[in-house]
Amino acid sequence: MSGFVEKPEPIEVPGLVHLHTGKVRDLYQNEAGDLVMVASDRMSAYDWVLPTEIPEKGRVLTQLSLWWFDQLADLVPNHVLSTDVPAGAPADWAGRTLVCKSLKMIPVEAVARGYLTGSGLTEYNDSRTVCGLALPEGLVDGSELPAPIFTPATKAAVGEHDENVSYEEVARQVGADTAARLRQATLAVYSRGRDIARERGIILADTKFEFGFEGETLVLADEVLTPDSSRFWPADQWEPGRAQPSYDKQFVRDWLTSPASGWDRKSEQPPPPLPPEVVDATRAKYVEAYERLTGTSWS
């Protein structure tokens, strides 16, 4: 089993229709037909949405995405219309709400990898490929790839794994022209993000994007280059051949799989609440990533 340990009830706001409750974000539609995306403080790990929240996480993700959208504006348009909180919404929505264009979304996770780890490493160890792309011999966990690669995945429901697929499968699903545009935009955005992060002492190992169409225009949507959608590693601690320290859910994953949690991830039992020290350490990592990337302090 997997999914929500405790699925939250949608908040009722005058003039908004609730569309979807995701792992982290709640999606509404306003009377103008725009999407209202609210980033919660929920944390997911091992296909579960955990019962413990990470304070301010949703605001960090939202503000970091907005900063990145500005850095990427000359490469690809984005879906943000405003950050205004809808009338009648809870005060807590401030700083975590985006009013966005309603796009025709492409049903593909657009993944870019510049380094080998995670599911890419697993496939590489089996076949010396990632999503069917041949890679050189001798790579290890954390190795930098000769060049960034586009390794798409199918989008999964809450509680299920995204599944890596080949570029050819994406072209079959969405058409050759859309697949080519998706690959080009993904690699361009990743490369810009990698270079900016590198200047700030952070390695952008891999990341995933979501795109949609506004008419014929390809538009960058959802969140972008956050610790939830990307692997960020401190450059001064990078050491290929082992798991890298990171700015993400590392403390959560480590605790859940430790004897301290008492949880067997292979069982059908939901994971337990997180202890305060894990919550605090995880929040600190998200804030540190924001501050190092943007150069501004979080308050």
Side-chain angles (χ1 to χ4, degrees), residues 88-222:
D92 183 61
W93 281 22
R96 61 174 79 241
T97 300
L98 298 179
V99 181
C100 305
K101 298 173 183 177
S102 183
L103 306 173
K104 182 181 178 183
M105 296 302 294
I106 301 170
V108 173
E109 293 277 8
V111 180
R113 300 174 193 268
Y115 293 74
L116 187 64
T117 195
S119 62
L121 176 66
T122 301
E123 181 184 334
Y124 173 82
N125 287 339
D126 289 341
S127 61
R128 296 298 182 264
T129 64
V130 176
C131 289
L133 297 173
L135 293 175
E137 293 283 344
L139 301 181
V140 295
D141 193 357
S143 287
E144 184 173 9
L145 301 178
I149 56 176
F150 176 60
T151 58
T154 56
K155 288 175 61 63
V158 174
E160 297 179 11
H161 279 301
D162 293 343
E163 182 179 345
N164 292 347
V165 294
S166 67
Y167 176 79
E168 289 72 24
E169 176 60 21
V170 172
R172 187 189 69 78
Q173 289 186 18
V174 303
D177 179 66
T178 295
R181 293 175 67 184
L182 199 60
R183 178 169 61 184
Q184 187 277 329
T186 298
L187 293 176
V189 173
Y190 169 79
S191 296
R192 171 71 60 81
R194 175 201 60 195
D195 293 347
I196 290 173
R198 184 178 287 161
E199 292 170 358
R200 290 152 170 80
I202 291 177
I203 289 172
L204 174 58
D206 55 38
T207 191
K208 63 181 178 181
F209 306 114
E210 293 196 30
F211 290 91
F213 280 108
E214 181 184 27
E216 297 299 313
T217 303
L218 189 66
V219 178
L220 182 59
D222 198 54

Side-chain angles (χ1 to χ4, degrees), residues 11 37 56 149:
I11 295 172
M37 195 167 68
E56 294 195 294
I149 56 176

Side-chain angles (χ1 to χ4, degrees), residues 14-127:
L16 298 188
V17 176
H18 177 259
L19 300 178
H20 178 66
T21 298
K23 291 179 180 178
V24 174
R25 286 168 182 76
D26 296 303
L27 196 62
Y28 299 80
Q29 188 172 46
N30 65 19
E31 292 172 334
D34 304 322
L35 297 182
V36 179
M37 195 167 68
V38 185
S40 74
D41 293 336
R42 294 190 292 269
M43 171 65 76
S44 65
Y46 300 120
D47 298 322
W48 284 95
V49 180
L50 305 178
T52 311
E53 295 188 338
I54 307 297
E56 294 195 294
K57 174 174 172 280
R59 288 192 179 90
V60 173
L61 297 181
T62 301
Q63 298 308 310
L64 184 55
S65 289
L66 287 167
W67 184 83
W68 277 116
F69 282 135
D70 285 345
Q71 313 306 310
L72 304 167
D74 61 315
L75 293 180
V76 61
N78 65 71
H79 68 159
V80 178
L81 293 171
S82 113
T83 58
D84 295 339
V85 177
D92 183 61
W93 281 22
R96 61 174 79 241
T97 300
L98 298 179
V99 181
C100 305
K101 298 173 183 177
S102 183
L103 306 173
K104 182 181 178 183
M105 296 302 294
I106 301 170
V108 173
E109 293 277 8
V111 180
R113 300 174 193 268
Y115 293 74
L116 187 64
T117 195
S119 62
L121 176 66
T122 301
E123 181 184 334
Y124 173 82
N125 287 339
D126 289 341
S127 61

Side-chain angles (χ1 to χ4, degrees), residues 215-259:
E216 297 299 313
T217 303
L218 189 66
V219 178
L220 182 59
D222 198 54
E223 64 180 322
V224 59
L225 296 169
T226 72
D228 266 16
S229 65
S230 316
R231 282 189 178 90
F232 292 123
W233 299 335
D236 59 357
Q237 298 178 54
W238 175 53
E239 186 181 317
R242 61 169 174 85
Q244 310 299 316
S246 59
Y247 295 98
D248 57 12
K249 310 170 187 179
Q250 179 180 333
F251 290 108
V252 171
R253 294 191 190 101
D254 289 350
W255 183 80
L256 286 172
T257 54
S258 74

